[in-house]
Amino acid sequence: MIRSLIIGTGSHVPPRVLKNQDLEKMVDTSDEWIIARTGIKERRIADGETTNDIAAKAAKNALKAAGVSPKEIDLIVAGTVTPDMLFPSTACFVQSHIGASRGIAAFDVSAACSGFLYALDAADKYIRSGASKKALVIGVDLFSKIVDWKDRNTCVLFGDGAGAVVLSAEKGKRGILSTHIHADGHYWKTLYTPLSLCSSPLHDKTPERSYMKMQGNELFKVAVRTMGEACQEALDHNGLRAEDISLLIPHQANMRIIKATAERLGLPEEKVYINLDRYGNTSAGSIPLALDEAVKKDMIKKGDIILFVAFGGGLTWASAIVRW
Ligand code: UT7
């Protein structure tokens, strides 16, 4: 059976750090409130680097770790909701930035914070069908571009970053065991960003700057429920129990959501990867960034079962289980 094996991981975050204390000077908030309600201490903010730059750096790092030349990649899928342009896609820009071959497939998926797992799901299906042999999957978001930095309800939560993995079609028991993706558009109003464009030959309107909008409380409840259900679905599908999980790598949105998900599974703290305190919520970047850190820290061994779970705007939610 052909499976997608993760043969390399990479990430990139902008160097500029924005601490909770910096936010205290911008909005009516406090370090204590942010840490108590979210677990976040600082986040990275792009200062000159674009979504394409950050995605390409993460991609290059993943290719280097995999020992794969950009010319060997036949598919690039990027999860992002903060592209530099409506089109071309971020995946096309990455193709050109890293020097991948001309004529390969490259496209973006829009699933907000679930974007990386949606992209992984798509790439895995190309690999298992035989349509791709080596795929590059990226999760990247620069929410600093769409956050209202005067809104304390949202600006304390997000940061910029990207992660990437190289998938290789391999025979055997290792690799991606399952992916599950879900959506419920009825909840769209809990998290969205309107488009600032309104060009028309019929009326003359100046577009207003539009920011991300969020109903934090409502989202919190749905997140706790869907993350728990998504984990259980992934375990049941593979005939696994929570004890079989070596490491849970959840979307890094809020410490309380992560803890509730782990508690529901009965997973001890040491089996849950958390870097939210240093990066905040990097949306589609969050899971591959956390994975890359866990790999670099030697926290993952060959044969380990890794569970990924995310939720985000759409609403969307998703899971993946990998035998490393
Ligand atoms: O990837 C998906 C992205 N989004 C999320 O994951 C968000 C999910 N939701 C959350 O993480 C939480 O709902 C928040 C962290 C956004 C908010 O935490 P909460 O415990 O649900 O707080 P709350 O919204 O109920 O607000 C409690 C109080 C309010 O004041 P009053 O009405 O009780 O006087 C807020 O105005 O905290 C106030 N507040 C703040 N105070 C200081 C809201 N934001 C801040 C802030 N600093 N930054």
Side-chain angles (χ1 to χ4, degrees), residues 137-307:
V137 183
I138 303 159
V140 57
D141 268 313
L142 271 64
F143 263 47
S144 62
K145 297 200 277 196
I146 56 169
V147 158
D148 179 354
W149 290 98
K150 293 190 179 74
D151 175 15
R152 71 174 184 172
N153 291 297
T154 52
C155 76
V156 302
L157 303 174
F158 297 93
D160 300 338
V165 299
V166 178
L167 300 182
S168 178
E170 307 281 343
K171 281 191 182 147
K173 292 188 170 171
R174 295 172 59 219
I176 297 177
L177 303 185
S178 69
T179 56
H180 288 91
I181 59 171
H182 298 287
D184 186 347
H186 295 98
Y187 283 108
W188 73 268
K189 277 191 179 166
T190 54
L191 187 58
Y192 66 99
T193 307
L195 208 55
S196 305
L197 304 173
C198 55
S199 168
S200 165
L202 304 179
H203 33 78
D204 182 22
K205 273 200 210 160
T206 310
E208 276 173 36
R209 177 84 165 84
S210 60
Y211 295 107
M212 192 203 74
K213 312 240 185 313
M214 188 183 83
Q215 293 168 7
N217 258 297
E218 184 64 18
L219 200 55
F220 189 96
K221 285 179 244 160
V222 185
V224 170
R225 177 169 56 79
T226 54
M227 297 261 281
E229 286 172 3
C231 288
Q232 200 54 55
E233 179 185 38
L235 290 174
D236 292 347
H237 180 87
N238 292 287
L240 294 168
R241 292 162 307 159
E243 304 89 273
D244 300 319
I245 302 298
S246 310
L247 193 64
L248 169 69
I249 302 188
H251 171 49
Q252 311 279 315
N254 185 314
M255 187 70 90
R256 292 182 291 144
I257 297 174
I258 294 175
K259 282 198 170 152
T261 306
E263 263 166 36
R264 190 167 158 168
L265 283 173
L267 277 187
E269 249 175 58
E270 62 274 14
K271 284 194 168 187
V272 185
Y273 194 82
I274 293 170
N275 62 6
L276 170 83
D277 50 328
R278 287 175 286 125
Y279 302 120
N281 181 350
T282 55
S283 183
S286 117
I287 287 181
L289 175 57
L291 170 63
D292 187 43
E293 281 196 351
V295 168
K296 300 268 152 56
K297 288 181 182 170
D298 278 332
M299 289 175 70
I300 305 181
K301 300 185 302 294
K302 199 169 170 180
D304 277 356
I305 299 286
I306 314 298
L307 171 59

